[in-house]
């Protein structure tokens, strides 16, 4: 049987000190294999991005958790990771043939057009559902639960809610495929407890890859 897709994706914030970030991620992964890490660091040089990806891959592989690399297909292939495609990037169908069997593709979705263009993806990160805690200057209109589920209906894959997700807001999204977070876990006093609380708000279901 193919492994189940993650129900919680913790996105990196490299503004945090490296040891603090890696320590918080290690604690979050204690919540189990339903937790994945997404390596995102748009300001990094190519060499730095790869070195960070290698450190994250070692962390995830040691614990049996999935790692997604943001946008960089070459880095994902080098470290044996899954791939996340931003909304302005390549389409899943353009990338799929370059990935080994068993690798997942996640995509960023913000509106109906992007939801309809997600054909071939295994997972979608839909945002911003609520005001993002890690982006206080973000002025985009939030989707709210109604907007999130409206976009989810157009998707060919499970939808994870991103943006302002915390334990209390997650409870307003019963039926979501899962959650993607940054500060709710990375800046929590107890990242493992925070991750478990978010997983508890998203009951397990058989979410297998769509392709």
């Amino acid at each position: 049987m193919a492994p189940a897709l993650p129900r919680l994706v913790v996105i990196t914030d490299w503004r945090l000190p490296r040891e603090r970030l890696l320590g918080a991620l290690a604690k979050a992964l204690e919540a189990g294999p339903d937790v994945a890490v997404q390596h995102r660091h748009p300001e990094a040089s190519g060499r730095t991005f790869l070195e960070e990806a290698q450190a994250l891959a070692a962390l995830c592989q040691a614990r049996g958790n999935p790692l997604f690399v943001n946008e960089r297909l070459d880095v994902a292939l080098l470290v044996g990771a899954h791939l996340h495609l931003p909304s302005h990037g390549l389409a899943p169908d353009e990338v799929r043939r370059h990935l080994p069997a068993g690798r997942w593709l996640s995509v960023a979705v913000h509106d109906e057009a992007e939801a309809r263009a997600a054909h071939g993806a295994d997972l979608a990160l839909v945002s911003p559902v609520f005001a993002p805690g890690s982006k206080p200057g973000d002025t985009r209109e939030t989707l709210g639960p109604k907007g999130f589920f409206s976009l989810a209906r157009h998707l060919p894959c499970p939808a994870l809610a991103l943006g302002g997700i915390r334990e209390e807001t997650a409870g307003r999204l019963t039926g979501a495929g899962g959650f993607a977070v940054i500060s709710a876990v990375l800046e929590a006093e107890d990242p493992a407890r925070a991750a478990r609380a978010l997983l508890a708000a998203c009951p397990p279901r058989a979410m297998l890859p769509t392709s």
Side-chain angles (χ1 to χ4, degrees), residues 6-208:
R7 294 186 290 124
L8 177 62
V9 175
V10 182
I11 302 170
T12 58
D13 183 354
W14 290 97
R15 294 173 298 182
L16 296 173
R18 181 186 178 98
E19 292 307 313
R20 178 181 169 189
L21 172 62
L22 294 178
L25 289 171
K27 294 293 291 183
L29 297 183
E30 292 177 6
D34 286 333
V35 182
V37 173
Q38 181 187 315
H39 176 32
R40 182 182 183 278
H41 193 180
E43 302 84 8
S45 67
R47 170 57 59 186
T48 297
F49 190 86
L50 173 59
E51 291 174 347
E52 292 168 345
Q54 290 169 330
L56 294 172
L59 182 69
C60 290
Q61 289 166 6
R63 293 160 173 78
N65 293 82
L67 171 65
F68 288 81
V69 165
N70 195 71
E71 193 169 11
R72 292 288 302 271
L73 173 62
D74 55 342
V75 174
L77 292 173
L78 284 170
V79 302
H82 308 286
L83 183 66
H84 175 76
L85 298 176
S87 56
H88 61 271
L90 297 173
D93 287 343
E94 296 175 300
V95 177
R96 174 69 66 186
R97 65 181 180 274
H98 300 292
L99 286 175
R103 299 282 178 86
W104 294 325
L105 274 172
S106 65
V107 294
V109 169
H110 307 92
D111 54 39
E112 186 174 327
E114 292 175 2
R116 295 188 184 281
H119 177 74
D122 299 298
L123 203 60
L125 275 55
V126 178
S127 70
V129 180
F130 304 108
S134 61
K135 298 179 180 179
D138 194 331
T139 59
R140 291 177 296 172
E141 183 177 353
T142 57
L143 297 167
K146 183 178 179 180
F148 168 77
F149 286 113
S150 177
L151 288 183
R153 284 194 292 272
H154 293 291
L155 286 164
C157 58
L160 272 59
L162 169 63
I165 302 299
R166 304 180 301 279
E167 185 176 354
E168 55 269 31
T169 57
R172 299 171 58 190
L173 296 166
T174 302
F179 307 110
V181 300
I182 302 176
S183 58
V185 167
L186 295 182
E187 297 182 17
E189 288 188 15
D190 185 343
R193 194 210 71 81
R196 291 189 181 102
L198 289 168
L199 288 173
C202 173
R205 54 178 58 83
M207 298 196 315
L208 301 179

